[in-house]
């Protein structure tokens, strides 16, 4: 399990989504790291990757909506960070189109994504939680 | 080269290792480069110009990815090097924020994974920052100078 309790930000809607996101990332990575021929595994890897990517979009949107709702002062910066990450994911998607669905490329995407996500949730997203808390302890209403 | 360029990297590395890996680092005076390692380099531009090069020994690299994923890793494949490149990117980004607080405005390039140590290290003034963990010593080479105006 790659989710850790210390990633909690204290806003239940976001914490639940983060846990779901980490579950999907883990599912993708477990399939990607399983043994066997790439040709036999790649359909499953591809579907778990798509399943994860879908949720990244859903989650980023919901998290930004929440920030708007509480007038979070760091919204613009947070949107910029999300957009930068989505652009990097799209660059990978474009490479898959051009170069084919190469295992090395998928491994690179997964390694980067794991490190990015852990840092983003453990660092940047904590600031949303701190701000929500400063508004008066209603942070768990999401 | 000014020693004041080192602290922003030292602080950023300590913080990122703690946050992402629950791992403590200790600054040591010197360390030998490992035979097998992951080398990640980033360029810096803006008020300062130069490069930052991270040398992660193999054992440390594998452990770092294992801590993050909860899975066992046995070789320096593209998953591992890509994850470490992102960590070097995160550390460098945080170091740039620390430098900004010291009134240096700088940007970093995307991280590049190198297959062998970069050449020219002896010709460019470089500060070495060795940081020890129980799985080996991370060496950060900081080669920065003020950009001529």
């Amino acid at each position: 399990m790659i989710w850790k309790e210390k990633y909690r930000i204290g806003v239940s809607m976001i914490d639940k989504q983060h846990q779901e996101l980490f579950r999907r990332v883990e599912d993708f990575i477990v399939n990607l790291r399983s043994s066997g021929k790439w040709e036999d595994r790649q359909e499953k890897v591809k579907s778990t990757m798509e399943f994860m990517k879908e949720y990244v979009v859903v989650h980023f949107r919901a998290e930004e909506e929440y920030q708007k709702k509480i007038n979070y002062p760091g919204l613009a910066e947070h949107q910029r960070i999300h957009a930068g990450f989505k652009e990097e994911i799209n660059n990978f998607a474009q490479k898959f189109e051009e170069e084919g669905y190469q295992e090395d490329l998928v491994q690179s995407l997964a390694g980067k994504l794991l490190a990015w996500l852990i840092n983003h949730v453990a660092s940047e997203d904590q600031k949303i939680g701190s701000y929500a808390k400063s508004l008066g302890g209603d942070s768990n209403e999401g | 080269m000014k020693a004041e360029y080192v602290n922003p990297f030292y602080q950023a590395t300590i913080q990122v290792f703690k946050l992402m890996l629950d791992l403590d680092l200790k600054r040591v005076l010197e360390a030998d480069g490992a035979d097998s390692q992951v080398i990640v380099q980033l360029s810096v531009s803006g008020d300062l110009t130069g490069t930052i090069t991270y040398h992660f020994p193999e054992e440390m690299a594998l452990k770092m990815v294992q801590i993050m994923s909860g899975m066992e890793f046995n070789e320096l494949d593209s998953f591992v090097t890509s994850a470490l490149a992102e960590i070097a990117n995160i550390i460098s980004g945080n170091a740039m924020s620390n430098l900004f607080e010291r009134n240096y405005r700088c940007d970093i390039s995307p991280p590049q994974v190198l297959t062998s140590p970069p050449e020219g290290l002896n010709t460019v003034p470089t500060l070495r920052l060795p940081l020890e963990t129980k799985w080996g010593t991370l060496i950060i080479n900081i080669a920065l100078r003020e950009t001529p105006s």
Side-chain angles (χ1 to χ4, degrees):
Chain A
M1 186 65 188
I2 56 176
W3 166 264
K4 292 195 178 100
E5 277 305 309
K6 74 169 185 177
Y7 299 158
R8 239 177 238 291
I9 73 163
V11 178
S12 61
M13 180 273 288
I14 294 179
D15 285 332
K16 273 184 204 143
Q17 289 199 354
H18 280 158
Q19 286 175 62
E20 174 65 19
L21 184 58
F22 273 78
R23 260 193 296 275
R24 293 191 186 199
V25 169
E26 189 165 22
D27 193 32
F28 164 52
I29 294 175
V30 165
N31 276 289
L32 178 62
R33 302 299 300 182
S34 64
S35 54
K37 275 194 192 146
W38 177 239
E39 299 85 75
D40 301 335
R41 292 185 292 129
Q42 66 166 286
E43 278 316 308
K44 177 80 178 153
V45 171
K46 206 170 174 175
S47 70
T48 53
M49 184 175 79
E50 290 304 323
F51 190 58
M52 171 197 76
K53 262 171 60 183
E54 258 172 43
Y55 201 72
V56 169
V57 176
V58 169
H59 166 63
F60 279 6
R61 194 178 298 144
E63 199 181 82
E64 287 173 16
E65 282 302 318
Y66 175 75
Q67 292 175 53
K68 270 183 210 156
K69 200 179 95 182
I70 63 167
N71 290 316
Y72 177 58
L75 170 66
E77 171 65 7
H78 209 106
Q79 280 175 322
R80 192 188 60 76
I81 294 171
H82 282 171
F85 182 67
K86 279 191 277 193
E87 194 187 322
E88 292 197 54
I89 299 277
N90 286 337
N91 290 343
F92 270 101
Q94 202 181 332
K95 275 192 193 165
F96 291 145
E97 292 264 315
E98 291 163 5
E99 299 168 24
Y101 201 64
Q102 305 292 333
E103 177 172 12
D104 245 20
L105 208 52
V106 188
Q107 298 283 358
S108 295
L109 164 68
K112 183 189 172 64
L113 178 120
L114 177 67
W116 186 92
L117 184 68
I118 289 174
N119 177 61
H120 185 68
V121 172
S123 167
E124 208 54 46
D125 285 348
Q126 298 298 322
K127 297 177 192 168
I128 310 169
S130 304
Y131 180 74
K133 222 170 277 171
S134 77
L135 295 178
D138 193 28
S139 59
N140 275 319
E141 292 306 309
Chain B
M1 197 173 96
K2 292 183 189 169
E4 67 173 311
Y5 302 154
V6 173
N7 252 345
F9 288 90
Y10 173 66
Q11 287 162 356
T13 312
I14 296 285
Q15 188 214 356
V16 168
F17 267 64
K18 188 79 202 160
L19 193 73
M20 295 183 68
L21 308 161
D22 286 310
L23 206 55
D24 291 317
L25 294 156
K26 191 174 90 187
R27 191 169 177 176
V28 289
L29 286 176
E30 215 15 272
D32 295 328
D35 288 341
S36 177
Q37 52 185 345
V38 178
I39 306 170
V40 183
Q41 189 170 64
L42 300 97
S43 301
V44 177
S45 59
D47 290 345
L48 302 176
T49 304
T51 57
I52 313 297
T53 315
Y54 296 79
H55 299 252
F56 299 92
E58 179 171 353
E59 190 188 3
M60 182 195 291
L62 296 173
K63 278 285 176 198
M64 286 167 71
V65 180
Q66 191 177 321
I67 291 171
M68 288 192 292
S69 67
M71 280 170 244
E72 193 132 345
F73 283 78
N74 302 310
E75 56 171 335
L76 300 177
D77 60 20
S78 37
F79 187 110
V80 177
T81 56
S82 174
L84 291 200
E86 182 57 25
I87 290 179
N89 191 38
I90 292 163
I91 293 171
S92 305
N94 292 1
M96 293 304 114
S97 304
N98 295 343
L99 277 168
F100 185 71
E101 286 168 14
R102 290 167 166 84
N103 287 318
Y104 293 103
R105 193 184 289 262
C106 305
D107 289 315
I108 45 170
S109 69
Q112 303 289 326
V113 177
L114 306 182
T115 46
S116 58
E119 288 173 17
L121 263 187
N122 297 327
T123 55
V124 183
T126 302
L127 285 172
R128 237 165 119 80
L129 176 61
L131 298 166
E132 191 181 81
T133 71
K134 49 187 162 177
W135 294 301
T137 304
L138 162 66
I139 297 171
I140 308 176
N141 284 321
I142 302 161
L144 294 175
R145 60 187 168 84
E146 292 213 19
T147 308
S149 51

